Amino acid sequence: MSNDYSDILQKLCHHLRQFTGPDVEITPQTDLINQLAIDSVKLLNLIMEIEDEFDISVPINALADVQTVHELANLIHQIESAK
């Protein structure tokens, strides 16, 4: 079953909560590195969770262009739509 963009965004924000404090608001424009301080180890953990959640495989090189929550949700949506 394919998720639409808003479902993906909601699930992604849920996963991102583990990297933030309870007072941090996560929006589609939130910068993963500068605002959420997600380093390479956290990013790999996040990608593993995303792959399990959506039953997809995220190519590591595709992450080079991802900076915001919106861009990551878009990437997940593209990968899901292609399978």
Side-chain angles (χ1 to χ4, degrees):
M1 181 185 101
S2 185
N3 295 286
D4 66 15
Y5 176 81
S6 60
D7 288 340
I8 291 170
L9 193 59
Q10 182 181 7
K11 290 176 183 178
L12 181 56
C13 287
H14 173 75
H15 284 286
L16 288 168
R17 289 258 171 257
Q18 68 184 316
F19 300 110
T20 66
D23 56 335
V24 176
E25 181 183 2
I26 299 173
T27 69
Q29 292 75 35
T30 301
D31 187 298
L32 296 168
I33 296 166
N34 296 322
Q35 291 178 276
L36 300 183
I38 294 182
D39 60 19
S40 57
V41 174
K42 289 178 182 175
L43 182 61
L44 288 176
N45 287 334
L46 176 63
I47 294 305
M48 286 191 298
E49 289 180 15
I50 288 169
E51 288 177 337
D52 288 345
E53 171 92 26
F54 297 103
D55 193 29
I56 59 172
S57 180
V58 178
I60 296 298
N61 61 345
L63 297 172
D65 298 327
V66 172
Q67 293 180 338
T68 65
V69 173
H70 164 74
E71 291 169 347
L72 184 54
N74 233 13
L75 176 63
I76 295 166
H77 189 257
Q78 289 173 358
I79 293 169
E80 257 208 333
S81 298
K83 69 174 186 174

